[in-house]
Amino acid sequence: MVVRRRCARVLLLLSPSLLHLRPAAAYNNGMGRTPPMGWNSWCTAGAGGRPPSVCNLVGADPCSSAQVREIADAIVDQGLREVGYRYVALDDCWSATTRTPEGELQPDRSKFPEGMAALADYLHNRSLLFGLYTCVGTKTCKGGRPGSYGHYEQDAATMASWGVVCDPRLCVGSVQSQWLTSHVCACCRTW
């Protein structure tokens, strides 16, 4: 009986403040219902049964087009896409170690012989989204491949032409580019 009276007093004291509670305001646009879920190539297992790449400590990611396609098929076949796994992202070491003569990023043709647009098409045909890593600096962190410094607009346009959703790393705060903030980071919001 004493416990009931104490609970009743607490409720009476709290009830005026509970009247001011309101539901949280949020967009109901279908985005953000889950965190970005999918697969990322960092620390992938090696081809031919080799051990994992030790998180690419030496810039030797074994990820290839064949492996990405296999992963994409597994995401779909195992029903993971239906529960929110939508992204397939390649981390460092997907690109060649040099840019084209026109200054564009290019894939490592030994691992991605058909190019990134064909791989993006393969993923999109399975209702998956494609992301690629690059770096806001001059070189990527592990593989020493070209970074996007001085090429932000060009790299964003190149990736978009391949069907890449976005490189979320281009949205980090150290970049002071009005174009980058308004164009590239707008697509990052889908991540």
Side-chain angles (χ1 to χ4, degrees):
M1 192 67 153
V2 174
V3 172
R4 284 186 186 172
R5 276 191 236 147
R6 285 186 183 159
C7 288
R9 285 182 191 155
V10 169
L11 285 175
L12 284 174
L13 291 172
L14 289 177
S15 58
S17 62
L18 293 175
L19 294 175
H20 298 287
L21 293 179
R22 296 177 189 198
Y27 289 113
N28 187 16
N29 61 5
M31 293 172 56
R33 296 190 187 278
T34 63
M37 298 188 306
W39 177 82
N40 183 293
S41 66
W42 194 252
C43 292
T44 53
R50 290 181 305 196
S53 66
V54 194
C55 293
N56 304 323
L57 292 176
V58 294
D61 187 348
C63 183
S64 67
S65 178
Q67 184 181 33
V68 173
R69 290 168 185 259
E70 183 180 317
I71 293 293
D73 291 342
I75 289 171
V76 173
D77 295 345
Q78 294 178 20
L80 295 171
R81 180 186 59 202
E82 281 69 36
V83 295
Y85 288 79
R86 300 174 36 209
Y87 300 97
V88 173
L90 302 185
D91 219 302
D92 204 349
C93 305
W94 62 266
S95 71
T97 56
T98 59
R99 291 177 173 273
T100 67
E102 296 78 29
E104 294 179 339
L105 289 172
Q106 59 184 338
D108 179 337
R109 292 289 178 177
S110 69
K111 295 191 272 184
F112 301 94
E114 77 283 6
M116 297 320 223
L119 186 57
D121 289 344
Y122 189 88
L123 297 171
H124 296 159
N125 287 338
R126 282 148 187 78
S127 299
L128 297 171
L129 301 172
F130 186 35
L132 289 175
Y133 165 85
T134 187
C135 171
V136 296
T138 58
K139 295 282 185 186
T140 64
C141 61
K142 299 294 181 195
R145 278 124 168 98
S148 289
Y149 185 79
H151 295 270
Y152 300 124
E153 293 179 35
Q154 184 178 25
D155 290 355
T158 298
M159 288 187 211
S161 76
W162 292 340
V164 173
V165 174
C166 188
D167 172 5
R169 289 142 206 84
L170 289 175
C171 298
V172 297
S174 64
V175 179
Q176 300 299 320
S177 166
Q178 185 65 35
W179 186 93
L180 185 66
T181 301
S182 63
H183 291 80
V184 177
C185 294
C187 77
C188 292
R189 293 185 190 112
T190 64
W191 279 76

